[in-house]
Amino acid sequence: MENSPQYLFLASGVNNGEGFWIVGIKNCDENFLEDINLLDCHRKELIGYESAKDILLAINLNVNNLLNELRNKNYLIETPSMGISFDIPLEILENIFDFWLEIYKNQEAWEACLGLLKIRKRIPLTNLIRSESLKGNSKKWAIQIENLHTYVPSSLKIEKINNPMWE
């Protein structure tokens, strides 16, 4: 299995009546239809196992960054028992999937983008972009990565109500 061909996929699924998105890796010999939790496959790429693991790591980090940012801004995002919330639109996940799959084809771009994504975990890249700290391709990639984090749900924010001190 060291670098055997694998499917990197983006699918929708349901578990105990709860819907979710899932990005994962399946052996190319396995039939997607045999997994009773999966409904539809929206992206499926046959690539080597190590490549699939690397890309899956970047996709998951990107999605986690996005979800954490939305929660920090007090948007109500459901947390399904497995996978990614249906609160994130399919188009957003497809854009994230496609970006990381495509950028992986260029080793220099991959390393730079993965580094930018790790920075993005801590701080938005907008200040680096505006301050001209990034040049050339790094700036172009930073803009693209920042765009992968711009989704804002139409759902209402959770309004925190402070209880009176005397209660």
Side-chain angles (χ1 to χ4, degrees), residues 1 18 46 60 65 77 79-80 94-96 102 112 114 118 132 135 137 153 155 161 163 165 167:
M1 184 157 152
E18 179 181 52
L46 185 63
N60 283 333
N65 285 353
I77 303 293
T79 305
E94 288 174 332
N95 290 342
I96 291 170
E102 187 61 33
L114 194 57
K118 289 176 182 177
E132 300 295 324
K135 301 286 185 203
N137 286 335
S155 66
I161 299 173
N163 293 328
M165 291 182 346
E167 284 190 323

Side-chain angles (χ1 to χ4, degrees), residues 13-20 36-39 80-82:
V14 67
N15 186 16
N16 296 325
E18 179 181 52
F20 60 89
I36 60 170
N37 290 324
L38 297 183
L39 299 174
S81 57
M82 66 185 301

Side-chain angles (χ1 to χ4, degrees), residues 66-77:
L66 178 60
L67 289 171
N68 288 336
E69 186 169 316
L70 292 173
R71 287 187 187 111
N72 288 341
K73 291 179 179 176
N74 292 326
Y75 283 99
L76 181 59
I77 303 293

Side-chain angles (χ1 to χ4, degrees), residues 116 119 123-134 139 142:
L116 289 166
I119 291 169
I123 60 168
L125 299 174
T126 50
N127 290 339
L128 293 175
I129 295 166
R130 276 193 225 127
S131 70
E132 300 295 324
S133 298
L134 301 172
K139 184 174 183 173

